[in-house]
PDB file of all heavy atoms in Angstrom:
ATOM      1  N   ALA A 874      -3.571 -18.119  12.764  1.00 93.00           N
ATOM      2  CA  ALA A 874      -3.565 -19.348  11.928  1.00 93.00           C
ATOM      3  C   ALA A 874      -4.201 -20.411  12.824  1.00 93.00           C
ATOM      4  O   ALA A 874      -4.464 -20.187  13.987  1.00 93.00           O
ATOM      5  CB  ALA A 874      -2.103 -19.821  11.620  1.00 93.00           C
ATOM      6  N   GLY A 875      -4.482 -21.545  12.135  1.00 61.00           N
ATOM      7  CA  GLY A 875      -5.038 -22.675  12.923  1.00 61.00           C
ATOM      8  C   GLY A 875      -6.459 -22.601  13.203  1.00 61.00           C
ATOM      9  O   GLY A 875      -7.276 -21.846  12.564  1.00 61.00           O
ATOM     10  N   PRO A 876      -7.022 -23.253  14.286  1.00 52.00           N
ATOM     11  CA  PRO A 876      -8.392 -23.403  14.553  1.00 52.00           C
ATOM     12  C   PRO A 876      -9.043 -22.033  14.797  1.00 52.00           C
ATOM     13  O   PRO A 876     -10.264 -21.924  14.632  1.00 52.00           O
ATOM     14  CB  PRO A 876      -8.464 -24.215  15.878  1.00 52.00           C
ATOM     15  CG  PRO A 876      -7.176 -24.956  15.912  1.00 52.00           C
ATOM     16  CD  PRO A 876      -6.200 -24.066  15.208  1.00 52.00           C
ATOM     17  N   GLY A 877      -8.328 -20.991  15.194  1.00 39.00           N
ATOM     18  CA  GLY A 877      -8.896 -19.759  15.413  1.00 39.00           C
ATOM     19  C   GLY A 877      -8.964 -18.839  14.184  1.00 39.00           C
ATOM     20  O   GLY A 877      -9.406 -17.758  14.253  1.00 39.00           O
ATOM     21  N   ALA A 878      -8.623 -19.402  13.004  1.00 45.00           N
ATOM     22  CA  ALA A 878      -8.557 -18.584  11.779  1.00 45.00           C
ATOM     23  C   ALA A 878      -9.868 -18.800  11.031  1.00 45.00           C
ATOM     24  O   ALA A 878      -9.761 -19.378   9.916  1.00 45.00           O
ATOM     25  CB  ALA A 878      -7.377 -18.919  10.999  1.00 45.00           C
ATOM     26  N   GLY A 879     -10.916 -18.318  11.509  1.00 41.00           N
ATOM     27  CA  GLY A 879     -12.215 -18.406  10.782  1.00 41.00           C
ATOM     28  C   GLY A 879     -12.697 -19.960  10.644  1.00 41.00           C
ATOM     29  O   GLY A 879     -12.358 -20.763  11.473  1.00 41.00           O
ATOM     30  N   ASP A 880     -13.314 -20.173   9.511  1.00 40.00           N
ATOM     31  CA  ASP A 880     -13.864 -21.541   9.265  1.00 40.00           C
ATOM     32  C   ASP A 880     -12.994 -22.375   8.322  1.00 40.00           C
ATOM     33  O   ASP A 880     -13.381 -23.346   7.806  1.00 40.00           O
ATOM     34  CB  ASP A 880     -15.270 -21.433   8.721  1.00 40.00           C
ATOM     35  CG  ASP A 880     -16.231 -20.702   9.677  1.00 40.00           C
ATOM     36  OD1 ASP A 880     -16.049 -20.919  10.891  1.00 40.00           O
ATOM     37  OD2 ASP A 880     -17.064 -19.894   9.119  1.00 40.00           O
ATOM     38  N   SER A 881     -11.794 -21.847   8.062  1.00 38.00           N
ATOM     39  CA  SER A 881     -11.027 -22.345   6.966  1.00 38.00           C
ATOM     40  C   SER A 881     -10.167 -23.579   7.292  1.00 38.00           C
ATOM     41  O   SER A 881      -9.492 -24.145   6.424  1.00 38.00           O
ATOM     42  CB  SER A 881     -10.175 -21.298   6.383  1.00 38.00           C
ATOM     43  OG  SER A 881      -9.318 -20.772   7.354  1.00 38.00           O
ATOM     44  N   GLY A 882     -10.011 -23.904   8.549  1.00 39.00           N
ATOM     45  CA  GLY A 882      -9.173 -25.142   8.869  1.00 39.00           C
ATOM     46  C   GLY A 882      -7.863 -24.686   9.462  1.00 39.00           C
ATOM     47  O   GLY A 882      -7.451 -23.630   9.457  1.00 39.00           O
ATOM     48  N   ALA A 883      -7.122 -25.755   9.817  1.00 38.00           N
ATOM     49  CA  ALA A 883      -5.868 -25.564  10.588  1.00 38.00           C
ATOM     50  C   ALA A 883      -4.682 -25.032   9.782  1.00 38.00           C
ATOM     51  O   ALA A 883      -3.767 -24.485  10.340  1.00 38.00           O
ATOM     52  CB  ALA A 883      -5.483 -26.785  11.329  1.00 38.00           C
ATOM     53  N   ASP A 884      -4.580 -25.224   8.445  1.00 40.00           N
ATOM     54  CA  ASP A 884      -3.408 -24.658   7.853  1.00 40.00           C
ATOM     55  C   ASP A 884      -3.516 -23.403   7.029  1.00 40.00           C
ATOM     56  O   ASP A 884      -2.730 -23.065   6.244  1.00 40.00           O
ATOM     57  CB  ASP A 884      -2.753 -25.746   6.904  1.00 40.00           C
ATOM     58  CG  ASP A 884      -3.730 -26.705   6.215  1.00 40.00           C
ATOM     59  OD1 ASP A 884      -4.925 -26.367   6.118  1.00 40.00           O
ATOM     60  OD2 ASP A 884      -3.261 -27.760   5.765  1.00 40.00           O
ATOM     61  N   SER A 885      -4.474 -22.647   7.349  1.00 40.00           N
ATOM     62  CA  SER A 885      -4.605 -21.379   6.733  1.00 40.00           C
ATOM     63  C   SER A 885      -4.193 -20.232   7.629  1.00 40.00           C
ATOM     64  O   SER A 885      -4.290 -20.382   8.858  1.00 40.00           O
ATOM     65  CB  SER A 885      -6.047 -21.091   6.221  1.00 40.00           C
ATOM     66  OG  SER A 885      -6.871 -21.016   7.355  1.00 40.00           O
ATOM     67  N   GLY A 886      -3.721 -19.180   7.139  1.00 45.00           N
ATOM     68  CA  GLY A 886      -3.359 -18.011   7.960  1.00 45.00           C
ATOM     69  C   GLY A 886      -4.437 -16.977   7.759  1.00 45.00           C
ATOM     70  O   GLY A 886      -4.582 -16.417   6.698  1.00 45.00           O
ATOM     71  N   GLY A 887      -5.028 -16.493   8.825  1.00 48.00           N
ATOM     72  CA  GLY A 887      -5.999 -15.506   8.774  1.00 48.00           C
ATOM     73  C   GLY A 887      -7.258 -15.903   7.916  1.00 48.00           C
ATOM     74  O   GLY A 887      -7.889 -14.999   7.305  1.00 48.00           O
ATOM     75  N   GLY A 888      -7.680 -17.125   7.903  1.00 52.00           N
ATOM     76  CA  GLY A 888      -8.782 -17.507   7.113  1.00 52.00           C
ATOM     77  C   GLY A 888      -8.489 -18.079   5.715  1.00 52.00           C
ATOM     78  O   GLY A 888      -7.433 -18.483   5.478  1.00 52.00           O
ATOM     79  N   SER A 889      -9.495 -18.062   4.832  1.00 49.00           N
ATOM     80  CA  SER A 889      -9.227 -18.549   3.486  1.00 49.00           C
ATOM     81  C   SER A 889      -8.349 -17.589   2.761  1.00 49.00           C
ATOM     82  O   SER A 889      -7.923 -16.579   3.230  1.00 49.00           O
ATOM     83  CB  SER A 889     -10.543 -18.666   2.808  1.00 49.00           C
ATOM     84  OG  SER A 889     -11.248 -17.446   2.667  1.00 49.00           O
ATOM     85  N   GLY A 890      -8.054 -17.980   1.449  1.00 57.00           N
ATOM     86  CA  GLY A 890      -7.141 -17.179   0.677  1.00 57.00           C
ATOM     87  C   GLY A 890      -7.460 -15.682   0.679  1.00 57.00           C
ATOM     88  O   GLY A 890      -6.645 -14.812   0.830  1.00 57.00           O
ATOM     89  N   GLY A 891      -8.803 -15.357   0.392  1.00 69.00           N
ATOM     90  CA  GLY A 891      -9.202 -13.970   0.369  1.00 69.00           C
ATOM     91  C   GLY A 891      -9.092 -13.287   1.735  1.00 69.00           C
ATOM     92  O   GLY A 891      -8.592 -12.173   1.836  1.00 69.00           O
ATOM     93  N   THR A 892      -9.502 -13.970   2.825  1.00 89.00           N
ATOM     94  CA  THR A 892      -9.425 -13.345   4.100  1.00 89.00           C
ATOM     95  C   THR A 892      -7.971 -13.221   4.588  1.00 89.00           C
ATOM     96  O   THR A 892      -7.641 -12.249   5.265  1.00 89.00           O
ATOM     97  CB  THR A 892     -10.223 -14.161   5.113  1.00 89.00           C
ATOM     98  OG1 THR A 892     -11.495 -14.482   4.637  1.00 89.00           O
ATOM     99  CG2 THR A 892     -10.375 -13.499   6.451  1.00 89.00           C
ATOM    100  N   ALA A 893      -7.079 -14.138   4.152  1.00 93.00           N
ATOM    101  CA  ALA A 893      -5.722 -14.038   4.497  1.00 93.00           C
ATOM    102  C   ALA A 893      -5.077 -12.823   3.806  1.00 93.00           C
ATOM    103  O   ALA A 893      -4.328 -12.066   4.488  1.00 93.00           O
ATOM    104  CB  ALA A 893      -4.925 -15.262   4.039  1.00 93.00           C
ATOM    105  N   ALA A 894      -5.528 -12.531   2.659  1.00 94.00           N
ATOM    106  CA  ALA A 894      -5.035 -11.322   1.925  1.00 94.00           C
ATOM    107  C   ALA A 894      -5.557 -10.104   2.690  1.00 94.00           C
ATOM    108  O   ALA A 894      -4.865  -9.101   2.818  1.00 94.00           O
ATOM    109  CB  ALA A 894      -5.471 -11.316   0.414  1.00 94.00           C
ATOM    110  N   LEU A 895      -6.786 -10.133   3.071  1.00 96.00           N
ATOM    111  CA  LEU A 895      -7.451  -8.978   3.792  1.00 96.00           C
ATOM    112  C   LEU A 895      -6.680  -8.801   5.117  1.00 96.00           C
ATOM    113  O   LEU A 895      -6.440  -7.644   5.541  1.00 96.00           O
ATOM    114  CB  LEU A 895      -8.856  -9.362   4.055  1.00 96.00           C
ATOM    115  CG  LEU A 895      -9.791  -8.150   4.304  1.00 96.00           C
ATOM    116  CD1 LEU A 895      -9.856  -7.147   3.140  1.00 96.00           C
ATOM    117  CD2 LEU A 895     -11.228  -8.647   4.557  1.00 96.00           C
ATOM    118  N   ALA A 896      -6.393  -9.837   5.859  1.00 97.00           N
ATOM    119  CA  ALA A 896      -5.699  -9.717   7.051  1.00 97.00           C
ATOM    120  C   ALA A 896      -4.269  -9.117   6.839  1.00 97.00           C
ATOM    121  O   ALA A 896      -3.921  -8.153   7.640  1.00 97.00           O
ATOM    122  CB  ALA A 896      -5.473 -11.114   7.763  1.00 97.00           C
ATOM    123  N   ASP A 897      -3.574  -9.488   5.824  1.00 97.00           N
ATOM    124  CA  ASP A 897      -2.290  -8.874   5.520  1.00 97.00           C
ATOM    125  C   ASP A 897      -2.508  -7.368   5.181  1.00 97.00           C
ATOM    126  O   ASP A 897      -1.609  -6.545   5.619  1.00 97.00           O
ATOM    127  CB  ASP A 897      -1.571  -9.579   4.370  1.00 97.00           C
ATOM    128  CG  ASP A 897      -1.075 -11.012   4.705  1.00 97.00           C
ATOM    129  OD1 ASP A 897      -1.102 -11.297   5.849  1.00 97.00           O
ATOM    130  OD2 ASP A 897      -0.934 -11.829   3.814  1.00 97.00           O
ATOM    131  N   ALA A 898      -3.557  -7.042   4.506  1.00 97.00           N
ATOM    132  CA  ALA A 898      -3.816  -5.695   4.115  1.00 97.00           C
ATOM    133  C   ALA A 898      -4.066  -4.881   5.360  1.00 97.00           C
ATOM    134  O   ALA A 898      -3.658  -3.676   5.481  1.00 97.00           O
ATOM    135  CB  ALA A 898      -4.875  -5.617   3.091  1.00 97.00           C
ATOM    136  N   PHE A 899      -4.861  -5.388   6.292  1.00 98.00           N
ATOM    137  CA  PHE A 899      -5.190  -4.708   7.479  1.00 98.00           C
ATOM    138  C   PHE A 899      -3.938  -4.319   8.326  1.00 98.00           C
ATOM    139  O   PHE A 899      -3.738  -3.308   8.875  1.00 98.00           O
ATOM    140  CB  PHE A 899      -6.228  -5.480   8.307  1.00 98.00           C
ATOM    141  CG  PHE A 899      -6.617  -4.706   9.552  1.00 98.00           C
ATOM    142  CD1 PHE A 899      -7.512  -3.731   9.530  1.00 98.00           C
ATOM    143  CD2 PHE A 899      -6.102  -5.096  10.786  1.00 98.00           C
ATOM    144  CE1 PHE A 899      -8.010  -3.072  10.674  1.00 98.00           C
ATOM    145  CE2 PHE A 899      -6.487  -4.365  11.965  1.00 98.00           C
ATOM    146  CZ  PHE A 899      -7.423  -3.390  11.890  1.00 98.00           C
ATOM    147  N   ILE A 900      -3.062  -5.369   8.463  1.00 98.00           N
ATOM    148  CA  ILE A 900      -1.817  -5.221   9.242  1.00 98.00           C
ATOM    149  C   ILE A 900      -0.928  -4.148   8.555  1.00 98.00           C
ATOM    150  O   ILE A 900      -0.335  -3.323   9.287  1.00 98.00           O
ATOM    151  CB  ILE A 900      -1.110  -6.574   9.380  1.00 98.00           C
ATOM    152  CG1 ILE A 900      -1.907  -7.465  10.275  1.00 98.00           C
ATOM    153  CG2 ILE A 900       0.334  -6.279   9.954  1.00 98.00           C
ATOM    154  CD1 ILE A 900      -1.390  -8.945  10.308  1.00 98.00           C
ATOM    155  N   GLU A 901      -0.915  -4.180   7.247  1.00 98.00           N
ATOM    156  CA  GLU A 901      -0.109  -3.219   6.501  1.00 98.00           C
ATOM    157  C   GLU A 901      -0.716  -1.825   6.748  1.00 98.00           C
ATOM    158  O   GLU A 901       0.031  -0.768   6.908  1.00 98.00           O
ATOM    159  CB  GLU A 901      -0.154  -3.513   5.002  1.00 98.00           C
ATOM    160  CG  GLU A 901       0.724  -2.616   4.199  1.00 98.00           C
ATOM    161  CD  GLU A 901       0.843  -3.026   2.721  1.00 98.00           C
ATOM    162  OE1 GLU A 901       0.311  -4.116   2.356  1.00 98.00           O
ATOM    163  OE2 GLU A 901       1.348  -2.211   1.916  1.00 98.00           O
ATOM    164  N   PHE A 902      -2.074  -1.692   6.826  1.00 98.00           N
ATOM    165  CA  PHE A 902      -2.664  -0.378   7.039  1.00 98.00           C
ATOM    166  C   PHE A 902      -2.345   0.062   8.496  1.00 98.00           C
ATOM    167  O   PHE A 902      -2.182   1.314   8.602  1.00 98.00           O
ATOM    168  CB  PHE A 902      -4.207  -0.608   6.813  1.00 98.00           C
ATOM    169  CG  PHE A 902      -4.962   0.724   6.671  1.00 98.00           C
ATOM    170  CD1 PHE A 902      -5.187   1.251   5.465  1.00 98.00           C
ATOM    171  CD2 PHE A 902      -5.491   1.342   7.763  1.00 98.00           C
ATOM    172  CE1 PHE A 902      -5.873   2.384   5.257  1.00 98.00           C
ATOM    173  CE2 PHE A 902      -6.208   2.464   7.653  1.00 98.00           C
ATOM    174  CZ  PHE A 902      -6.439   3.063   6.408  1.00 98.00           C
ATOM    175  N   VAL A 903      -2.391  -0.819   9.469  1.00 98.00           N
ATOM    176  CA  VAL A 903      -2.117  -0.409  10.824  1.00 98.00           C
ATOM    177  C   VAL A 903      -0.749   0.085  10.973  1.00 98.00           C
ATOM    178  O   VAL A 903      -0.440   1.128  11.641  1.00 98.00           O
ATOM    179  CB  VAL A 903      -2.435  -1.562  11.794  1.00 98.00           C
ATOM    180  CG1 VAL A 903      -1.888  -1.246  13.193  1.00 98.00           C
ATOM    181  CG2 VAL A 903      -3.886  -1.909  11.872  1.00 98.00           C
ATOM    182  N   THR A 904       0.221  -0.591  10.381  1.00 98.00           N
ATOM    183  CA  THR A 904       1.642  -0.221  10.414  1.00 98.00           C
ATOM    184  C   THR A 904       2.044   0.842   9.442  1.00 98.00           C
ATOM    185  O   THR A 904       3.182   1.362   9.623  1.00 98.00           O
ATOM    186  CB  THR A 904       2.535  -1.420  10.263  1.00 98.00           C
ATOM    187  OG1 THR A 904       2.253  -2.015   8.946  1.00 98.00           O
ATOM    188  CG2 THR A 904       2.238  -2.511  11.270  1.00 98.00           C
ATOM    189  N   GLY A 905       1.197   1.223   8.503  1.00 98.00           N
ATOM    190  CA  GLY A 905       1.417   2.249   7.548  1.00 98.00           C
ATOM    191  C   GLY A 905       1.180   3.628   8.047  1.00 98.00           C
ATOM    192  O   GLY A 905       0.727   3.915   9.192  1.00 98.00           O
ATOM    193  N   PRO A 906       1.360   4.685   7.172  1.00 98.00           N
ATOM    194  CA  PRO A 906       1.248   6.084   7.580  1.00 98.00           C
ATOM    195  C   PRO A 906      -0.117   6.364   8.128  1.00 98.00           C
ATOM    196  O   PRO A 906      -0.226   7.095   9.112  1.00 98.00           O
ATOM    197  CB  PRO A 906       1.547   6.883   6.298  1.00 98.00           C
ATOM    198  CG  PRO A 906       2.375   5.943   5.512  1.00 98.00           C
ATOM    199  CD  PRO A 906       1.836   4.553   5.794  1.00 98.00           C
ATOM    200  N   GLU A 907      -1.245   5.952   7.537  1.00 97.00           N
ATOM    201  CA  GLU A 907      -2.526   6.248   7.977  1.00 97.00           C
ATOM    202  C   GLU A 907      -2.880   5.715   9.343  1.00 97.00           C
ATOM    203  O   GLU A 907      -3.373   6.408  10.191  1.00 97.00           O
ATOM    204  CB  GLU A 907      -3.566   5.881   6.997  1.00 97.00           C
ATOM    205  CG  GLU A 907      -3.571   6.645   5.688  1.00 97.00           C
ATOM    206  CD  GLU A 907      -4.749   6.314   4.776  1.00 97.00           C
ATOM    207  OE1 GLU A 907      -5.890   6.742   5.093  1.00 97.00           O
ATOM    208  OE2 GLU A 907      -4.577   5.542   3.739  1.00 97.00           O
ATOM    209  N   GLY A 908      -2.567   4.395   9.516  1.00 98.00           N
ATOM    210  CA  GLY A 908      -2.784   3.855  10.835  1.00 98.00           C
ATOM    211  C   GLY A 908      -1.917   4.376  11.852  1.00 98.00           C
ATOM    212  O   GLY A 908      -2.366   4.619  13.004  1.00 98.00           O
ATOM    213  N   GLN A 909      -0.675   4.766  11.596  1.00 98.00           N
ATOM    214  CA  GLN A 909       0.166   5.360  12.593  1.00 98.00           C
ATOM    215  C   GLN A 909      -0.235   6.736  12.981  1.00 98.00           C
ATOM    216  O   GLN A 909      -0.190   7.176  14.162  1.00 98.00           O
ATOM    217  CB  GLN A 909       1.607   5.325  12.045  1.00 98.00           C
ATOM    218  CG  GLN A 909       2.331   4.034  11.928  1.00 98.00           C
ATOM    219  CD  GLN A 909       2.466   3.350  13.304  1.00 98.00           C
ATOM    220  OE1 GLN A 909       3.093   3.875  14.224  1.00 98.00           O
ATOM    221  NE2 GLN A 909       1.824   2.157  13.478  1.00 98.00           N
ATOM    222  N   GLU A 910      -0.854   7.543  12.055  1.00 98.00           N
ATOM    223  CA  GLU A 910      -1.371   8.833  12.405  1.00 98.00           C
ATOM    224  C   GLU A 910      -2.575   8.681  13.353  1.00 98.00           C
ATOM    225  O   GLU A 910      -2.652   9.443  14.280  1.00 98.00           O
ATOM    226  CB  GLU A 910      -1.805   9.469  11.103  1.00 98.00           C
ATOM    227  CG  GLU A 910      -2.410  10.946  11.296  1.00 98.00           C
ATOM    228  CD  GLU A 910      -2.874  11.553  10.032  1.00 98.00           C
ATOM    229  OE1 GLU A 910      -2.706  10.972   8.944  1.00 98.00           O
ATOM    230  OE2 GLU A 910      -3.487  12.605  10.121  1.00 98.00           O
ATOM    231  N   VAL A 911      -3.385   7.741  13.102  1.00 98.00           N
ATOM    232  CA  VAL A 911      -4.562   7.571  13.961  1.00 98.00           C
ATOM    233  C   VAL A 911      -4.105   7.170  15.351  1.00 98.00           C
ATOM    234  O   VAL A 911      -4.576   7.665  16.347  1.00 98.00           O
ATOM    235  CB  VAL A 911      -5.478   6.524  13.384  1.00 98.00           C
ATOM    236  CG1 VAL A 911      -6.637   6.213  14.464  1.00 98.00           C
ATOM    237  CG2 VAL A 911      -6.103   7.007  12.129  1.00 98.00           C
ATOM    238  N   LEU A 912      -3.118   6.180  15.431  1.00 98.00           N
ATOM    239  CA  LEU A 912      -2.606   5.759  16.725  1.00 98.00           C
ATOM    240  C   LEU A 912      -1.988   6.869  17.490  1.00 98.00           C
ATOM    241  O   LEU A 912      -2.172   7.019  18.726  1.00 98.00           O
ATOM    242  CB  LEU A 912      -1.635   4.625  16.492  1.00 98.00           C
ATOM    243  CG  LEU A 912      -2.244   3.308  16.087  1.00 98.00           C
ATOM    244  CD1 LEU A 912      -1.180   2.439  15.446  1.00 98.00           C
ATOM    245  CD2 LEU A 912      -2.907   2.607  17.279  1.00 98.00           C
ATOM    246  N   ALA A 913      -1.218   7.754  16.816  1.00 98.00           N
ATOM    247  CA  ALA A 913      -0.628   8.961  17.512  1.00 98.00           C
ATOM    248  C   ALA A 913      -1.635   9.862  18.041  1.00 98.00           C
ATOM    249  O   ALA A 913      -1.524  10.376  19.147  1.00 98.00           O
ATOM    250  CB  ALA A 913       0.291   9.638  16.490  1.00 98.00           C
ATOM    251  N   ASP A 914      -2.742  10.067  17.231  1.00 97.00           N
ATOM    252  CA  ASP A 914      -3.840  10.881  17.741  1.00 97.00           C
ATOM    253  C   ASP A 914      -4.442  10.367  19.015  1.00 97.00           C
ATOM    254  O   ASP A 914      -4.961  11.162  19.862  1.00 97.00           O
ATOM    255  CB  ASP A 914      -4.900  11.032  16.705  1.00 97.00           C
ATOM    256  CG  ASP A 914      -4.551  11.905  15.478  1.00 97.00           C
ATOM    257  OD1 ASP A 914      -3.430  12.636  15.587  1.00 97.00           O
ATOM    258  OD2 ASP A 914      -5.237  11.815  14.461  1.00 97.00           O
TER     259      ASP A 914
END
């Protein structure tokens, strides 16, 4: 969030609305079965 979150300004999380949703999806992917399988490998 904040100044490091893309070009969207200080009160957004992970960028603008669409990028924030993408960030949440990526985190879910990493912590989900597919991501965990790759990490274990």
Side-chain angles (χ1 to χ4, degrees):
D880 300 323
S881 57
D884 29 23
S885 64
S889 62
T892 310
L895 200 60
D897 291 342
F899 181 80
I900 292 171
E901 184 176 352
F902 196 90
V903 169
T904 58
E907 289 188 78
Q909 290 296 301
E910 180 183 353
V911 173
L912 287 161
D914 287 348

